[in-house]
Amino acid sequence: SFVLEVIILFLSSCCRLWGDHGQEALESAHVCVITATATGTEVLKNLVLPGIGSFTIVDGNQVTGEDVGNSFFLQRSNIGQNRAQCTTELLQELNNDVFGNFVEENPDKLLDNDPSFFCRFNVVIATQLPESTLLRLADVLWNYNIPLLICRTYGLIGYMRIVIKEHPVVESHPDNALDDLRLDSPFPELREHVQSYDLENMEKKEHSHIPWIVIVSQYLEKWCNENNGQIPKNYKEKEAFREMIRQGILKNENGILEDEENFEEAIKNVNTAVIATKVPNCIEEIFSDDRCINLSQQTPPFWILARAVKEFVGKEGQGNLPVRGTIPDMIADSSKFIKLQNIYRDKAKKDADAVANYAAKLLQSVGKAPESISQKELKLLCSNSAFLRVVRCRSLSEEYGLNTSNKDEITSHMDNPDSEMVLYLMLRAVDRFFKHNGRYPGVYNYQVEDDIGKLKSCLNSFLQEYGLPVTVKDDYVHEFCRYGAAEPHTIAAFLGGAAAQEVVKIVTRQFVIFNNTYIYNGMSQTSATFKL
Ligand SMILES: *[C@@H]1O[C@H](CO)[C@@H](O)[C@H](O)[C@H]1NC(C)=O
Ligand SMILES: *[C@@H]1O[C@H](CO)[C@@H](O)[C@H](O)[C@H]1NC(C)=O
Ligand SMILES: *[C@@H]1O[C@H](CO)[C@@H](O)[C@H](O)[C@H]1NC(C)=O
């Protein structure tokens, strides 16, 4: 069927993005979605299709006519039925491998009676909840150390907030990462291999099949010998170095340069391959993090491994991270390419083995079994050791605390009165309106005019209470009243896609999550992230 084909296409493209191990992590994850609103169902749809392990919907409401209007899943015949159950059944039909559950309960009741209910989940996704419920939920999850993703569609505005204490990422998949070739400081095996090539005395065919890494490496050694051991650094030196390589291209009997593509490739790669190998600053920061220094039995594997890499860098690594072990494709005959590839691979394995020794000692020192970290996990971390990231988001109560709210972030962005930050302030104002009136502004047409004044005073008292010296244009107050807290399907669908992506990042521990607030403006189709 068409749906099935789409799902299969979607699945195969997902695996390319996050790999088999990422897919495994996704398939063993259990997420909770609080309230089966249009936003909640859109998030879930985008998790059910790529094959999340299981989901539980918490919702005590019945399907209303408005739900049928917003949510493409629900039909008129569902009106009056339990919303959690209806939505679970409909979502389940999208993918039989996913296990769907529902709990017919109001989230506030669950928080009153059974807060530990939430402990079983890898992520909790809260959609369209009032502020008071959200603050309670966020507190409970923070204490249990369960990641929370808050999603909200409010008129033409999308809002997301990630609340997670600490989120280490091994596979951050950076864009445009440079290869780890160590040409400035070749390890002995690489140096020996490069020197085994006698460039001056080679047949024409052989000469044009030398991998460019070997060419650059040989000429670099020559360059360094002539330049006090310094690699070419600025444009002028690099240009001179490229010319040096160009001189090595073979000439025919008439003195015309031969067509040697491998040399052209060598010249082209000088800029990105001839660089100083060093530990990136953000990795140095991880090495000096308290969690990396002070290990205990409770320390997660990520930090034990980071510490093991740190020890490696200080000793065998002579100041460098473990070799990544991969090289780019290049012009070369296959036997030469494979030999070179194996040099890097073998070195990466040797370095990983050395890291494994440190990890074993560290595990022993905190009283944990050596098997508590798998070889696979260790290798993955070693080959990604230049890309490790740790994201720490502030708690919701810090964000909402009068003394702890991030005033600088708010005021600095409000230098631009149309920054997406103004939408955040308006959301805080409508929440205050809700607290005072038990409903959102503009939900009844006949009250819109009245509500504009009330919302404005909510906004002003909020700004005053938090000591925020900013002005908000009246247009925004009017706009938010016009929204009448509606949840249009288009905005919910957009937000659902974006939210599911963050859930996948959290669950697979791949790619970097945002820190910590994301706002989408559906009027201008712009978005921004803020540290609140
Ligand atoms: C090290 O961690 C333990 C528990 O994880 C903590 O009790 C102790 O205070 C920490 N020590 C230092 C110096 O940070
Ligand atoms: C995230 O944001 C907080 C402030 O909200 C900041 O302290 C922290 O350094 C940021 N970065 C990371 C990577 O966690
Ligand atoms: C906030 O700070 C003020 C003074 O700096 C203090 O008097 C007040 O108790 C603090 N409030 C909270 C909730 O911590």
Side-chain angles (χ1 to χ4, degrees):
S1 78
F2 174 71
V3 171
L4 202 65
E5 272 168 42
V6 171
I7 291 173
I8 289 166
L9 244 175
F10 192 62
L11 274 176
S12 56
S13 66
C14 293
C15 287
R16 248 175 285 136
L17 279 180
W18 52 72
D20 290 342
H21 57 294
Q23 187 63 26
E24 266 170 46
L26 193 67
E27 285 171 13
S28 53
H30 189 180
V31 299
C32 173
V33 170
I34 302 180
T35 72
T37 54
T39 310
T41 7
E42 284 294 335
V43 181
L44 262 180
K45 182 194 80 187
N46 289 301
L47 290 171
V48 167
L49 285 178
I52 189 99
S54 48
F55 67 84
T56 297
I57 296 180
V58 173
D59 195 333
N61 294 317
Q62 256 116 51
V63 177
T64 63
E66 198 186 338
D67 291 327
V68 175
N70 293 343
S71 173
F72 80 97
F73 275 114
L74 299 170
Q75 285 165 359
R76 205 175 281 232
S77 57
N78 296 122
I79 292 178
Q81 294 174 355
N82 174 257
R83 196 163 69 168
Q85 180 175 4
C86 266
T87 318
T88 301
E89 284 163 5
L90 293 164
L91 279 162
Q92 184 84 70
E93 283 175 19
L94 290 179
N95 190 345
N96 284 330
D97 294 332
V98 176
F99 190 70
N101 307 285
F102 64 92
V103 174
E104 212 182 321
E105 183 71 281
N106 175 320
D108 275 307
K109 283 245 178 67
L110 265 182
L111 287 167
D112 287 338
N113 301 331
D114 185 15
S116 68
F117 165 83
F118 295 102
C119 287
R120 69 198 75 179
F121 303 110
N122 299 86
V123 188
V124 174
I125 303 145
T127 70
Q128 311 295 87
L129 288 186
E131 186 182 278
S132 58
T133 312
L134 215 42
L135 283 166
R136 286 181 71 200
L137 177 71
D139 257 354
V140 165
L141 296 178
W142 186 261
N143 291 331
Y144 287 131
N145 210 1
I146 309 275
L148 166 65
L149 176 63
I150 302 166
C151 300
R152 184 172 193 188
T153 301
Y154 197 96
L156 295 179
I157 307 306
Y159 162 90
M160 285 198 281
R161 165 74 151 94
I162 299 183
V163 192
I164 198 166
K165 261 186 198 162
E166 177 183 284
H167 180 66
V169 182
V170 173
E171 295 164 273
S172 60
H173 300 287
D175 296 329
N176 316 318
L178 297 176
D179 290 303
D180 179 26
L181 301 175
R182 312 284 166 117
L183 300 184
D184 64 323
S185 53
F187 42 94
E189 298 86 343
L190 175 61
R191 190 140 184 265
E192 198 178 307
H193 178 74
V194 166
Q195 282 171 348
S196 72
Y197 281 85
D198 184 359
L199 261 53
E200 324 266 285
N201 300 296
M202 273 178 121
E203 282 181 53
K204 193 174 126 189
K205 187 168 162 229
E206 290 290 298
H207 196 266
S208 64
H209 287 163
I210 310 166
W212 70 258
I213 289 180
V214 171
I215 299 171
V216 172
S217 191
Q218 273 216 7
Y219 282 96
L220 193 60
E221 176 149 3
K222 199 168 152 205
W223 171 281
C224 288
N225 287 339
E226 295 166 7
N227 292 278
N228 305 320
Q230 299 291 308
I231 61 169
K233 294 205 175 71
N234 51 38
Y235 177 78
K236 201 175 145 208
E237 287 171 0
K238 284 196 171 158
E239 197 47 41
F241 179 58
R242 279 190 278 262
E243 187 50 37
M244 188 182 201
I245 297 176
R246 212 169 272 127
Q247 294 300 324
I249 300 178
L250 291 185
K251 297 187 179 76
N252 69 14
E253 54 272 25
N254 300 323
I256 310 281
L257 291 185
E258 295 281 0
D259 219 4
E260 293 198 295
E261 286 180 80
N262 56 338
F263 272 73
E264 294 303 332
E265 225 176 27
I267 291 165
K268 205 177 74 200
N269 279 291
V270 162
N271 212 22
T272 50
V274 179
I275 46 169
T277 306
K278 70 186 207 54
V279 178
N281 289 342
C282 58
I283 303 301
E284 292 284 7
E285 271 171 36
I286 290 178
F287 287 164
S288 52
D289 196 290
D290 256 3
R291 295 275 267 167
C292 197
I293 291 166
N294 182 14
L295 303 182
S296 74
Q297 197 160 22
Q298 282 70 46
T299 305
F302 174 87
W303 289 108
I304 306 250
L305 288 173
R307 172 66 174 272
V309 170
K310 179 185 178 175
E311 312 251 316
F312 169 88
V313 170
K315 293 171 185 139
E316 282 97 326
Q318 298 173 350
N320 287 325
L321 294 169
V323 166
R324 201 175 305 156
T326 51
I327 58 174
D329 275 339
M330 62 193 76
I331 293 162
D333 63 46
S334 44
S335 92
K336 289 191 183 69
F337 179 79
I338 290 169
K339 267 189 207 142
L340 180 65
Q341 194 178 40
N342 284 339
I343 297 282
Y344 281 95
R345 261 195 203 157
D346 292 348
K347 174 66 170 148
K349 184 170 182 315
K350 201 170 144 190
D351 287 356
D353 288 344
V355 173
N357 280 333
Y358 289 111
K361 282 192 200 120
L362 292 166
L363 285 171
Q364 195 184 15
S365 73
V366 296
K368 280 176 100 166
E371 307 82 63
S372 52
I373 293 178
S374 72
Q375 277 299 311
K376 224 168 132 186
E377 212 176 339
L378 182 124
K379 276 200 181 137
L380 192 66
L381 189 129
C382 285
S383 58
N384 282 286
S385 57
F387 311 132
L388 307 178
R389 296 287 178 277
V390 177
V391 182
R392 292 188 173 112
C393 302
R394 299 206 316 150
S395 70
L396 204 62
S397 62
E398 282 174 285
E399 176 186 335
Y400 280 65
L402 281 181
N403 289 351
T404 48
S405 74
N406 198 344
K407 294 191 187 80
D408 291 344
E409 179 84 347
I410 296 173
T411 46
S412 67
H413 284 281
M414 284 305 288
D415 284 349
N416 167 10
D418 295 312
S419 155
E420 282 79 5
M421 183 59 85
V422 73
L423 308 174
Y424 168 77
L425 299 177
M426 286 311 306
L427 287 172
R428 294 292 298 270
V430 298
D431 282 342
R432 186 164 283 236
F433 185 106
F434 184 88
K435 204 154 91 188
H436 294 327
N437 301 286
R439 61 173 179 87
Y440 289 105
V443 287
Y444 303 111
N445 271 334
Y446 65 92
Q447 284 174 329
V448 172
E449 280 311 310
D450 231 19
D451 285 356
I452 288 173
K454 283 186 186 161
L455 181 57
K456 202 170 167 181
S457 72
C458 286
L459 174 68
N460 288 335
S461 75
F462 163 73
L463 295 176
Q464 195 173 19
E465 200 175 304
Y466 281 80
L468 293 165
V470 300
T471 37
V472 172
K473 290 187 200 163
D474 276 351
D475 290 356
Y476 288 105
V477 177
H478 289 248
E479 184 74 18
F480 270 69
C481 276
R482 268 201 295 278
Y483 289 156
E487 191 188 2
H489 181 243
T490 43
I491 305 292
F494 177 85
L495 199 62
Q501 196 171 313
E502 296 307 306
V503 173
V504 170
K505 289 180 191 175
I506 293 170
V507 165
T508 61
R509 294 174 175 265
Q510 295 188 39
F511 302 93
V512 184
I513 55 173
F514 63 81
N515 178 20
N516 54 31
T517 299
Y518 170 92
I519 306 246
Y520 171 67
N521 180 346
M523 294 175 277
S524 57
Q525 301 196 11
T526 53
S527 63
T529 58
F530 301 111
K531 292 185 171 71
L532 289 163

